[in-house]
Amino acid sequence: MAFSPSPSPDISLPNEIWTAVFESLESPDLVSVTCVSRRLGAVAERILYSDIQICETISSGQFPCKTNACCKTIIRRLHLVEYVKHLHIRWTIRSSNVAWHLQSVLFNLSNTLRTLAFLESLDLSLDLSKHVSGEFDILRQCRLPSLCHLSLSGVGCTAVECFLNRTPSIQHLKLLDYHLSLVLFPDALPSLNSFCGPPRIAATVVPGRPVQYLALSGHTSEQQGWLDAVRGAMPMMMLSTAPIRYLDLSNSSMTLILLRDISEFFSDLEVLKVRFALRHALHFSSSGIVRDIFFCIKLCQVECEFFREYWKA
């Protein structure tokens, strides 16, 4: 019995239908679709470049090839720019002798960011702080009017302040390891809803802005300094134009004394995320401080393993 060949796909369907079909495919399958025909390839490319996620490990003598190739492709094919909505690049550098490898890539990345006027989410975690000096201002002269999400870590960038002042569309901001002085215009970031960063930076970003979700980062090896920074920043963080509803302090072990102070400042909290060291909590287990704290934050959803175990006992 002769087998009849399978019918060829009906490529006369509208692009909107093909887009709906291809959106459920994984990236390798979309790459295969680009080889079928120019028309289907163009539809698949739009989906591929709408969400770019690159993770690379860089050792001695290695080069961030994926990042460099992506930047060159976007610069060479500018018709893809309007489809790039999310760009997430993460590097893990395992050698201190890579600075000269990265200069050209960082230059290409900066030039690429200047073209992405439709970008909505930018996440750069480049691990440069320990390996490369802060001379690479990736965000210099970048204008991203549609950007809503910005996350920077290990970028070694000194142009963050200017970029934030000229990007009012940002709603969610993460500056995980930013320690430079940050001075924002009074009307900068008018729609900022959430912030994650060191306490000192939060004290300059939160006042006068409608921040409702706040997470404080820092180095767990410098616990006492971090706790002191949190305590010193609390009066400024109270100046948010919207009540802070979510507070994440799980980056370092919390003390009950500081938790009591928080309960007095943040009376509108709905979710509080903390982490306790048992040695900090047992000292107060027989006193009334635990009862007093829970009375102050009884309306909060407290995410804390210690308290779950404490009340079981």
Side-chain angles (χ1 to χ4, degrees):
M1 180 181 296
F3 293 95
S4 59
S6 58
S8 59
D10 183 7
I11 62 173
S12 63
L13 294 173
N15 286 347
E16 292 78 7
I17 294 180
W18 284 118
T19 300
V21 172
F22 293 159
E23 282 179 344
S24 61
L25 298 180
E26 300 292 337
S27 296
D29 298 325
L30 288 172
V31 173
S32 300
V33 171
T34 60
C35 303
V36 174
S37 69
R38 288 186 177 180
R39 183 188 171 196
L40 296 185
V43 175
E45 271 189 340
R46 297 173 185 176
I47 300 174
L48 274 172
Y49 283 89
S50 65
D51 187 359
I52 301 174
Q53 300 190 27
I54 300 174
C55 295
E56 295 189 86
T57 300
I58 305 172
S59 301
S60 180
Q62 291 185 332
F63 189 76
C65 301
K66 295 179 182 178
T67 304
N68 198 50
C70 177
C71 293
K72 288 185 175 181
T73 300
I74 294 175
I75 294 295
R76 187 171 59 249
R77 311 182 71 178
L78 291 178
H79 66 279
L80 296 174
V81 166
E82 63 178 298
Y83 303 109
V84 181
K85 304 296 184 183
H86 308 276
L87 177 61
H88 297 180
I89 300 178
R90 295 182 179 274
W91 292 351
T92 301
I93 300 179
R94 301 189 181 279
S95 173
S96 58
N97 188 27
V98 296
W100 66 277
H101 284 242
L102 303 178
Q103 293 184 16
S104 62
V105 182
L106 293 172
F107 179 78
N108 290 338
L109 178 57
S110 180
N111 287 338
T112 302
L113 289 175
R114 296 177 192 177
T115 68
L116 301 179
F118 299 90
L119 194 65
E120 297 176 359
S121 176
L122 176 62
D123 185 347
L124 299 179
S125 180
L126 303 185
D127 200 16
L128 297 178
S129 302
K130 299 179 181 178
H131 307 283
V132 182
S133 62
E135 58 183 325
F136 300 105
D137 289 336
I138 298 175
L139 299 177
R140 187 178 298 279
Q141 299 180 359
C142 289
R143 297 190 178 275
L144 307 176
S146 301
L147 191 67
C148 294
H149 301 255
L150 175 63
S151 177
L152 300 176
S153 175
V155 176
C157 178
T158 59
V160 172
E161 180 180 291
C162 296
F163 179 77
L164 295 178
N165 282 326
R166 64 171 179 264
T167 314
S169 59
I170 296 177
Q171 300 178 18
H172 309 281
L173 176 62
K174 286 185 179 182
L175 301 176
L176 297 180
D177 59 354
Y178 193 80
H179 298 288
L180 301 177
S181 59
L182 189 64
V183 180
L184 300 178
F185 298 150
D187 58 346
L189 305 177
S191 302
L192 189 65
N193 184 253
S194 67
F195 175 77
C196 177
R200 185 172 64 88
I201 303 300
T204 63
V205 171
V206 173
R209 296 174 180 88
V211 177
Q212 298 188 61
Y213 302 88
L214 180 61
L216 301 182
S217 63
H219 298 287
T220 56
S221 59
E222 304 173 359
Q223 177 181 330
Q224 187 57 49
W226 185 81
L227 294 176
D228 292 340
V230 173
R231 183 177 289 104
M234 278 193 288
M236 297 302 297
M237 292 187 292
M238 281 298 300
L239 300 180
S240 170
T241 57
I244 294 179
R245 305 292 186 184
Y246 178 97
L247 181 60
D248 185 351
L249 298 174
S250 61
N251 183 75
S252 185
S253 297
M254 185 61 54
T255 64
L256 291 176
I257 294 294
L258 181 57
L259 183 57
R260 182 184 60 184
D261 296 341
I262 291 170
S263 68
E264 295 175 356
F265 276 96
F266 299 97
S267 58
D268 295 309
L269 279 180
E270 296 176 359
V271 177
L272 174 63
K273 188 174 183 180
V274 295
R275 178 162 61 92
F276 277 98
L278 196 59
R279 64 181 182 276
H280 293 149
L282 289 179
H283 175 71
F284 301 99
S285 60
S286 60
S287 68
I289 189 171
V290 175
R291 182 186 65 252
D292 295 340
I293 290 172
F294 264 87
F295 178 76
C296 294
I297 58 174
K298 60 183 178 181
L299 298 181
C300 295
Q301 173 188 340
V302 181
E303 299 182 14
C304 172
E305 290 297 330
F306 167 75
F307 280 117
R308 294 197 190 100
E309 299 300 324
Y310 178 86
W311 291 114
K312 285 181 181 178

